[in-house]
Amino acid sequence: MGKSFDLNLVFDFLPKLLSYLHITLLILVGAVLIGLLVGFLAALPRIYNIPVLRTLSAIYVSFIRGTPILIQLFLVYYGLPELLKTIQIDVTHMSSLVFVIITYGFSIGALFSEIIRAAVSAVDRGQTEAAYAIGMTPIAAFVRIVLPQALTIAFPNFANLVISYLKDTSLAFYIGVMDMTGRGQTLGTATNHFLEVYISLAIIYYAVCILLEKCFSLLETRMLRYERQFPVSQ
Amino acid sequence: MNIDFRFIVTAFFEIMKALPLTLVITTVPLLIGFAIGIGTALIRLYKVKVIYKIADFYVSFLRGTPLILHIYIVYLGLPLLFDVLAEKWGWSIRSNSIPLIVFVFVAFSLNAGAYMSEIIRSGILAVNKGEIEAAYSIGMTTSQAMKRIVLPQALMISLPNLCNMFVGLLHGSSLAFSISLMELNGKANVVASTNWKFLESFIAAAVIYWGMTILAEKVTAILEKRLRMFIKGGVA
C-alpha cells in the first residue's frame, strides 16, 4: 500500500500469477481424488447402516462441516507430524503442499460422502430389487446398477463443491505454499502494489471458475444423454 | 504424542473471549447481506433495465472469487476510494480513521449479499405461481403480493439455506484475522504463538466453531418446525 493505484499493473501481474496456476490446480485435483476415495469410504457405512462405523463417519462429517477450512488446515499442519511421530515417522521435511492436499482431500471427502449418500438414496429402490431378481450379487447390483445412476444425480452438487474448493485453495499460502495466492503475496511485497495483485488474482479465479462451470455443464449434458425424456401425457 | 490436554481447556476459555466479536462479524453482514440479497434477487427476477446486468455480474463475480480476496480488496481499495471522495466533497475525516471492523463488514456483506440473492431467488421461484395470481385476483398490487404473500413463503423455503449461509459466514469470519482483527481464529493464533502450543490452541478453536455450528443447526431445525406448521398438506 502507499503507492497510487495503477491499472496497468493489474495486467502486468496477470501472466506472472498465471504461471502459478498449475500449483493451484494440482492442489484441487489432488484433493478431489483423495476426496472421492475418502468420500466413498465414509459414505458406505452410512448407506449400509453398519453400527459404530456409521457413528464414526457421522462425527467425521459433522466435524468437517462444523469447522472452518483454515482451522482444519492448521490442525493438520501442526497435528499430523505429532500424530505420525508416535508411529516413528518423521515428516518434518515434508513439503507443506502435501499437508494442504491431505487437508483439502479429507475436507472435500466429508462433503462428498454426504452427496454420495443422498444420491444413492435418491435412486429408486426398485432398481436394486430388479438387479437382485435377475440374480446379481449385492456388490454387482451396487456397482453396476445403483452407482452409475447415483453418480449422475450427484454430479451437479459434486461440480459445485469442486468450484467452491477451488476458491478455498487460496488459503493454502497461510502454511507457506507457493500457489497463485502465495505468489501474489510475494509479488505484492516486492512491488508494494498489493491491491493490483489482488484484483489480478480475482480476475484469474473468476475466469477459472467460469471455465470449470462450462466444462461441468458440458459433462452433465453428456452424462444425462441416457435419461430418456418421456412425452408428458395430458 | 505430547499434547497438553490441560492447555486445551485453558486455551478454550482464552479463545472464547473472542466469540462475541466473531458473532458480531457474522450476524451484521448476515443482516446487511440479507437486504442486499432481497434487492438483488428482485432486480434479477423482474429484469429491471440495465441494473439487472450489473446485478448479474455482481452475483457471478462475487461467487466466482475467494472471500479472502474480497477482504483484501476492500481493505486496500476502500480507503483509496474514500480519500478520493473525501477530497472531492471536502469531508473532514480521512480513511485512516475508519475502524478495521468496517472493512470486514463491507467485504462480508457484499459476499453474503451475492450468495443470499441466489438463495432468495430460488426461494421465490419455488413459491407456487398460483399464490401470486390469487393475490392479484383479490386486488393486491405487485408489491403487496410480494411483501405479504410471496416473500414470507419464499423465506421459509430458504430457511435451511439461510442457516447454511450463517454457518458459511461464521467459518468465513475466520479469515478476518488476515487484516489483524482479533476474532476466534486471530485469538487462537495469538494464544498459540505466545504459549508455543499451536495444536492445542487450534483444537480449542475448532471445538468452539464446531459447537457454534451444531447450535445453529439445532436452532434452525426448531425454527423450521414452528414456521412450517401451516404448510401441512392433507386434510387433517
Side-chain angles (χ1 to χ4, degrees):
Chain A
M1 228 168 77
K3 292 189 190 172
S4 58
F5 182 74
D6 184 356
L7 193 64
N8 288 325
L9 275 178
V10 172
F11 299 102
D12 282 353
F13 288 147
L14 279 178
K16 287 181 189 158
L17 291 169
L18 271 174
S19 62
Y20 282 78
L21 179 62
H22 65 281
I23 306 282
T24 293
L25 293 180
L26 176 73
I27 297 174
L28 186 67
V29 172
V32 168
L33 291 180
I34 296 180
L36 278 175
L37 186 70
V38 175
F40 266 108
L41 292 180
L44 287 176
R46 294 176 85 186
I47 292 171
Y48 285 110
N49 252 329
I50 305 166
V52 187
L53 283 182
R54 180 187 58 195
T55 320
L56 283 179
S57 149
I59 292 174
Y60 160 60
V61 172
S62 158
F63 178 77
I64 297 287
R65 286 169 51 126
T67 48
I69 182 88
L70 197 55
I71 296 282
Q72 293 164 19
L73 200 59
F74 286 145
L75 280 179
V76 171
Y77 187 61
Y78 293 112
L80 194 61
E82 286 285 324
L83 201 68
L84 290 177
K85 223 186 271 171
T86 53
I87 49 168
Q88 308 296 322
I89 298 176
D90 186 33
V91 287
T92 17
H93 298 294
M94 202 162 69
S95 153
S96 41
L97 191 65
V98 180
F99 287 108
V100 171
I101 295 179
I102 292 174
T103 313
Y104 282 66
F106 275 85
S107 183
I108 239 178
L111 305 184
F112 272 160
S113 85
E114 284 286 271
I115 292 176
I116 293 167
R117 195 172 64 104
V120 166
S121 53
V123 174
D124 193 24
R125 174 102 189 122
Q127 300 278 334
T128 315
E129 284 164 1
Y132 286 158
I134 59 165
M136 281 190 180
T137 62
I139 292 175
F142 183 74
V143 174
R144 293 171 62 182
I145 308 295
V146 178
L147 200 58
Q149 298 185 57
L151 288 183
T152 320
I153 299 171
F155 190 76
N157 291 329
F158 166 83
N160 280 339
L161 200 60
V162 171
I163 290 176
S164 91
Y165 270 84
L166 165 77
K167 289 178 281 167
D168 282 343
T169 58
S170 62
L171 302 178
F173 82 93
Y174 275 114
I175 61 166
V177 173
M178 252 306 177
D179 72 328
M180 223 159 49
T181 313
R183 176 68 187 132
Q185 294 289 331
T186 57
L187 212 56
T189 319
T191 58
N192 219 5
H193 279 281
F194 275 102
L195 183 58
E196 292 85 341
V197 170
Y198 293 133
I199 292 176
S200 223
L201 275 175
I203 295 173
I204 299 177
Y205 277 108
Y206 185 42
V208 177
C209 270
I210 290 180
L211 209 67
L212 274 180
E213 219 177 294
K214 289 266 183 293
C215 291
F216 284 139
S217 82
L218 279 178
L219 264 173
E220 202 183 322
T221 37
R222 231 192 109 69
M223 284 180 91
L224 286 173
R225 69 194 187 282
Y226 296 120
E227 295 280 316
R228 259 184 295 164
Q229 292 290 317
F230 292 104
V232 182
S233 52
Q234 293 295 319
Chain B
M1 193 154 132
N2 46 52
I3 286 189
D4 185 347
F5 286 99
R6 286 180 62 189
F7 186 75
I8 296 182
V9 181
T10 321
F12 179 84
F13 288 110
E14 193 60 30
I15 297 170
M16 262 307 227
K17 288 179 192 157
L19 185 63
L21 181 60
T22 287
L23 288 181
V24 167
I25 58 175
T26 306
T27 38
V28 171
L30 192 77
L31 296 176
I32 305 175
F34 185 68
I36 300 177
I38 287 191
T40 316
L42 289 177
I43 288 171
R44 295 180 72 200
L45 277 174
Y46 283 105
K47 291 215 183 300
V48 182
K49 266 178 215 147
V50 193
I51 345 176
Y52 91 87
K53 292 259 183 212
I54 302 171
D56 277 354
F57 177 74
Y58 159 67
V59 171
S60 118
F61 185 75
L62 275 265
R63 281 163 49 101
T65 45
L67 176 61
I68 185 82
L69 290 182
H70 303 161
I71 299 175
Y72 279 139
I73 290 177
V74 168
Y75 178 58
L76 298 172
L78 196 64
L80 286 183
L81 198 70
F82 188 86
D83 280 340
V84 169
L85 290 177
E87 205 140 310
K88 202 171 178 186
W89 302 98
W91 296 338
S92 53
I93 39 171
R94 283 293 179 270
S95 61
N96 48 21
S97 57
I98 304 177
L100 213 52
I101 199 167
V102 172
F103 299 112
V104 176
F105 282 159
V106 172
F108 283 10
S109 302
L110 286 175
N111 181 277
Y115 282 91
M116 266 200 263
S117 92
E118 284 293 82
I119 293 174
I120 293 165
R121 200 169 72 114
S122 69
I124 292 176
L125 289 175
V127 175
N128 195 330
K129 205 167 160 35
E131 300 277 342
I132 201 159
E133 282 166 1
Y136 284 150
S137 75
I138 57 165
M140 284 191 186
T141 62
T142 306
S143 64
Q144 278 176 331
M146 245 317 151
K147 218 159 47 191
R148 296 185 190 169
I149 310 294
V150 179
L151 275 182
Q153 297 186 57
L155 291 183
M156 206 175 41
I157 295 170
S158 15
L159 195 65
N161 285 332
L162 290 174
C163 165
N164 283 341
M165 190 68 233
F166 172 79
V167 171
L169 272 172
L170 176 73
H171 294 173
S173 75
S174 68
L175 301 180
F177 94 109
S178 59
I179 59 168
S180 60
L181 200 69
M182 277 302 128
E183 39 65 61
L184 282 177
N185 189 22
K187 193 83 183 167
N189 271 284
V190 168
V191 171
S193 46
T194 48
N195 297 285
W196 208 247
K197 285 186 164 56
F198 288 89
L199 187 56
E200 289 86 347
S201 305
F202 291 120
I203 290 176
V207 169
I208 298 174
Y209 280 113
W210 194 6
M212 289 305 300
T213 308
I214 291 175
L215 194 71
E217 277 164 3
K218 289 268 182 292
V219 170
T220 316
I222 295 171
L223 262 178
E224 219 182 323
K225 217 171 172 183
R226 279 191 63 93
L227 289 172
R228 276 188 176 269
M229 274 201 284
F230 70 88
I231 292 203
K232 272 186 293 190
V235 282

